[in-house]
């Protein structure tokens, strides 16, 4: 699918190439890391069977007025998926960001709902007349905040670019008519998918992102703020047993950081014990509302 006549991508350090196997591998590796965290159920990851997900076909997509090229359909049929986005319970993979589960196109009970549930608005936005991106672009994530946390995969080169639903204010990167110029309506950063997911993984390792389980709605806390210059400590190689970002924790995040550390994060992490401790902490918060028994 890549156009060999295009100039080097100004957003990339080196040329990138699309491979279905690499996209599947990168997502699988990241999802398997996520289930070691306390806010995602260990059984929530589904891997494609041999031959791909049978419920994802051109016909099942067409019933939702979604029309994708064969290569895109084959990718969707072979991706791993994370369950839990239909109701109000999400398995967040980044702050306010969940992975799109394309198997939902075959759920007749969801197809008849008008308007679609808020959690499925991303699926509606992929229908003909509403999809505003080239046919070789695939939506991998969505969100519930006003910016909608949309991560778009370009199947010409295997890169991903984040789209902000509210606005874009960046100077164009690509000349008019360049098939990559759709990215100029998104954020000004484009990365190979594995590089982006490795960056996300590191945010968890450094505790810039802290997963918090709950009875109904899990969360990812981003509770750090910049150091004042005079307060900045010595961050050495970032490989020690007590990871710290180059910021300091916000006051209401200190307890979460302590709970993670007490339970061995990151090198000797006792996930289940940490999960229970985080639930106990959550239940003690003034704004806590019990929904269902989630232990």
């Amino acid at each position: 699918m890549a156009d060999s006549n295009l100039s080097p991508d100004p957003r990339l350090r080196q040329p990138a190439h699309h491979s279905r196997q690499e996209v599947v591998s990168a997502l699988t590796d990241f999802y398997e890391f996520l289930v070691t965290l306390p806010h995602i159920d260990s059984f929530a990851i589904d891997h494609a069977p041999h031959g791909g997900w049978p419920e994802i076909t051109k016909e099942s997509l067409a019933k939702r007025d979604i029309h994708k090229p064969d290569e895109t359909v084959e990718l969707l049929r072979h991706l791993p998926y994370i369950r839990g986005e239909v109701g109000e319970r999400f398995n967040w993979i980044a702050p306010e960001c969940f992975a799109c589960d394309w198997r939902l196109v075959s759920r007749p009970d969801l197809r008849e709902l008008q308007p679609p549930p808020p959690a499925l608005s991303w699926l509606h936005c992929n229908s003909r007349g509403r999809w505003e991106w080239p046919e070789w672009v695939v939506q991998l994530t969505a969100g519930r905040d006003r910016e909608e946390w949309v991560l778009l995969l370009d199947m010409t080169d295997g890169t991903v670019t984040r789209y902000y639903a509210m606005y874009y204010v960046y100077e164009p990167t690509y000349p008019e008519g360049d098939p990559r110029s759709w990215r100029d309506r998104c954020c000004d950063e484009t990365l190979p998918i594995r590089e982006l997911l490795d960056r996300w993984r590191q945010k968890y390792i450094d505790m810039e992102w802290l997963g918090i389980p709950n009875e109904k709605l899990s969360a990812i806390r981003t509770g750090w703020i910049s150091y004042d210059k005079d307060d900045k400590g010595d961050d050495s190689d970032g490989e020690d047993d007590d990871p710290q970002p180059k910021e300091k924790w916000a006051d209401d995040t200190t307890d979460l950081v302590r709970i993670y550390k007490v339970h061995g994060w990151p090198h000797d992490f006792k996930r289940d014990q940490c999960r229970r401790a985080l639930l106990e902490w959550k239940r003690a918060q003034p704004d806590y509302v019990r929904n269902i028994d989630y232990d």
Side-chain angles (χ1 to χ4, degrees):
M1 293 179 67
D3 187 345
S4 58
N5 295 319
L6 291 176
S7 59
D9 194 317
R11 295 191 178 190
L12 302 177
R13 294 191 301 271
Q14 57 188 18
H17 305 282
H18 170 70
S19 161
R20 187 180 78 193
Q21 182 177 357
E22 171 59 15
V23 173
V24 171
S25 175
L27 284 171
T28 298
D29 290 347
F30 182 61
Y31 290 173
E32 290 180 351
F33 165 75
L34 288 179
V35 297
T36 69
L37 303 174
H39 73 289
I40 291 186
D41 293 326
S42 58
F43 53 81
I45 311 300
D46 292 331
H47 301 280
H50 181 72
W53 299 106
E55 58 266 51
I56 302 177
T57 64
K58 296 198 77 167
E59 292 72 24
S60 64
L61 290 164
K63 288 180 180 179
R64 287 190 172 271
D65 201 20
I66 297 173
H67 305 275
K68 302 288 186 184
D70 290 343
E71 186 175 355
T72 300
V73 175
E74 281 305 301
L75 173 68
L76 299 177
R77 284 170 50 83
H78 288 85
L79 291 179
Y81 291 110
I82 302 181
R83 279 170 280 146
E85 63 166 272
V86 175
E88 289 299 319
R89 181 176 166 193
F90 296 88
N91 280 309
W92 302 110
I93 65 173
E96 300 298 326
C97 171
F98 62 86
C100 297
D101 186 348
W102 281 90
R103 297 172 301 175
L104 297 177
V105 296
S106 66
R107 288 271 301 271
D109 57 321
L110 301 177
R111 190 182 307 130
E112 303 304 324
L113 294 177
Q114 293 297 331
L120 294 179
S121 61
W122 69 267
L123 201 55
H124 186 55
C125 289
N126 274 266
S127 61
R128 182 163 44 191
R130 294 181 60 88
W131 182 244
E132 55 182 299
W133 311 106
E135 65 176 11
W136 58 84
V137 175
V138 178
Q139 184 173 351
L140 295 179
T141 69
R144 292 297 307 276
D145 65 357
R146 65 181 184 177
E147 293 170 350
E148 295 186 7
W149 236 122
V150 175
L151 198 63
L152 299 171
L153 170 72
D154 190 326
M155 291 185 59
T156 65
D157 59 6
T159 61
V160 286
T161 307
R162 180 182 176 182
Y163 168 66
Y164 285 99
M166 296 299 291
Y167 58 86
Y168 55 94
V169 293
Y170 305 103
E171 290 294 325
T173 303
Y174 305 95
E176 185 177 354
D178 190 304
R180 301 164 297 193
S181 62
W182 64 268
R183 300 173 189 168
D184 285 331
R185 293 188 287 125
C186 303
C187 295
D188 63 347
E189 182 176 59
T190 297
L191 294 170
I193 185 170
R194 184 173 292 277
E195 184 175 341
L196 175 93
L197 295 178
D198 284 347
R199 181 182 294 184
W200 284 9
R201 180 198 302 250
Q202 195 61 44
K203 287 182 179 292
Y204 283 109
I205 292 173
D206 292 342
M207 294 190 292
E208 294 182 38
W209 292 353
L210 292 158
I212 311 170
N214 199 359
E215 280 81 358
K216 185 174 181 181
L217 183 62
S218 64
I220 298 175
R221 181 72 63 85
T222 55
W224 46 265
I225 56 178
S226 298
Y227 275 121
D228 294 330
K229 289 183 180 180
D230 295 339
D231 294 336
K232 219 174 237 186
D234 178 23
D235 274 296
S236 53
D237 58 7
E239 297 292 331
D240 56 45
D241 293 337
D242 190 20
Q244 295 282 348
K246 296 177 181 178
E247 289 88 15
K248 68 179 181 181
W249 307 119
D251 291 341
D252 63 351
T253 308
T254 303
D255 286 345
L256 298 175
V257 173
R258 178 187 57 78
I259 292 170
Y260 267 80
K261 289 182 177 181
V262 164
H263 291 89
W265 185 262
H267 301 303
D268 186 28
F269 189 52
K270 300 174 180 62
R271 180 216 184 249
D272 293 341
Q273 294 93 319
C274 182
R275 179 185 177 87
R276 288 193 291 270
L278 288 168
L279 282 169
E280 291 176 6
W281 174 86
K282 183 65 178 176
R283 290 167 183 149
Q285 302 310 299
D287 60 349
Y288 171 75
V289 176
R290 187 175 185 84
N291 292 299
I292 57 174
D293 187 2
Y294 192 49
D295 290 354

